[in-house]
């Protein structure tokens, strides 16, 4: 069993993960509109992974016999000014998610919920990957993004990403 404070913060995190999916879908739609179909596909796959992250929390709350409480999702931003702007915003967003995961880790320690503290380790590691992946793309965009031929190649490269369901591994 998990206590109410832990249940609440985990439910809030489900909302944040699903909001992340919404945000990345919105970014993907903008990129598709701009003709950057490869980067758009990358964003759509990112959105699917965010739903996986939310579902792993959903399953965990149920497994611990606590109540899943789904809240309304905020509408994501819809206007952007190019691929670099998108990845800058995605990076800022992932930093807020990392902070949020840190707060869950801290709360579960304070509440002596060591099982959930152990569970959340998966998210701490995942956030290192999330920040790194986005930052690498952002660095490339900063370095070559102004050059249309390079941007075309980057779009092609990112379009080769394939979706693999994120699963919880301890
Ligand atoms: Fe689920 Fe991108 O963090």
């Amino acid at each position: 069993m998990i206590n109410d404070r832990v249940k609440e913060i985990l439910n809030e995190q489900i909302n944040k993960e699903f909001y992340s999916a919404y945000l990345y879908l919105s970014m993907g739609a903008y990129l598709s509109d701009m003709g950057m179909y490869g980067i758009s596909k990358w964003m759509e796959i990112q959105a699917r992974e965010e739903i996986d992250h939310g579902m792993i929390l959903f399953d965990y709350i149920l497994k611990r016999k606590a109540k899943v409480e789904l809240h309304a999702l905020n509408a994501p931003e819809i206007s952007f000014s190019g691929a670099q702007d998108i990845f800058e915003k995605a990076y800022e967003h992932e930093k807020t998610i990392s902070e949020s995961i840190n707060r869950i880790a801290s709360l579960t320690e304070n509440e002596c919920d060591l099982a959930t503290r152990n569970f959340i380790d998966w998210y701490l590691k995942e956030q290192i990957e999330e920040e790194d992946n986005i930052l690498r793309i952002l660095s490339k965009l900063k370095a070559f993004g102004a050059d249309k031929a390079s941007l075309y190649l980057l779009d092609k490269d990112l379009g080769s990403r394939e979706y693999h369901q994120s699963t919880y591994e301890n």
Side-chain angles (χ1 to χ4, degrees):
M1 193 63 190
I2 56 180
N3 74 25
D4 280 352
R5 281 180 291 272
V6 172
K7 178 202 74 176
E8 253 169 52
I9 204 167
L10 293 180
N11 273 305
E12 282 166 15
Q13 192 61 34
I14 291 179
N15 188 278
K16 289 176 187 174
E17 300 291 349
F18 286 171
Y19 172 77
S20 301
Y22 245 31
L23 177 64
Y24 294 143
L25 281 176
S26 180
M27 290 174 167
Y30 168 89
L31 290 159
S32 178
D33 248 9
M34 300 291 289
M36 289 183 260
Y37 302 114
I39 315 182
S40 172
K41 184 185 165 201
W42 191 97
M43 274 296 172
E44 282 179 32
I45 291 173
Q46 189 67 19
R48 284 177 203 271
E49 288 196 358
E50 299 299 355
I51 292 169
D52 292 339
H53 298 168
M55 288 309 299
I56 292 168
L57 287 154
F58 179 96
D59 290 340
Y60 179 76
I61 296 171
L62 289 181
K63 197 170 188 178
R64 303 307 308 279
K65 306 294 176 226
K67 199 166 182 336
V68 166
E69 290 163 2
L70 300 176
H71 304 295
L73 290 171
N74 288 327
E77 190 171 347
I78 54 170
S79 346
F80 305 98
S81 53
Q84 184 175 324
D85 177 47
I86 281 190
F87 277 85
E88 273 165 3
K89 284 174 175 156
Y91 182 55
E92 288 307 311
H93 178 68
E94 285 301 332
K95 284 199 288 184
T96 70
I97 297 295
S98 297
E99 281 166 22
S100 179
I101 298 292
N102 278 337
R103 278 196 296 277
I104 299 176
S106 172
L107 177 81
T108 51
E109 274 179 20
N110 292 340
E111 300 290 329
C112 287
D113 183 344
L114 299 184
T116 307
R117 174 64 191 83
N118 183 47
F119 164 76
I120 219 67
D121 264 345
W122 184 87
Y123 285 85
L124 289 169
K125 285 187 213 132
E126 182 68 16
Q127 280 311 117
I128 294 172
E129 292 303 313
E130 293 279 84
E131 286 187 29
D132 185 51
N133 290 340
I134 288 174
L135 206 46
R136 278 169 183 267
I137 297 169
L138 179 57
S139 300
K140 287 180 188 173
L141 284 165
K142 281 182 177 167
F144 322 113
D147 173 56
K148 285 196 172 165
S150 302
L151 187 58
Y152 173 80
L153 290 175
L154 181 62
D155 184 64
K156 203 170 168 189
D157 182 37
L158 294 181
S160 66
R161 183 181 186 185
E162 287 179 12
Y163 169 66
H164 301 286
Q165 186 180 0
S166 299
T167 51
Y168 176 73
E169 286 154 24
N170 200 354

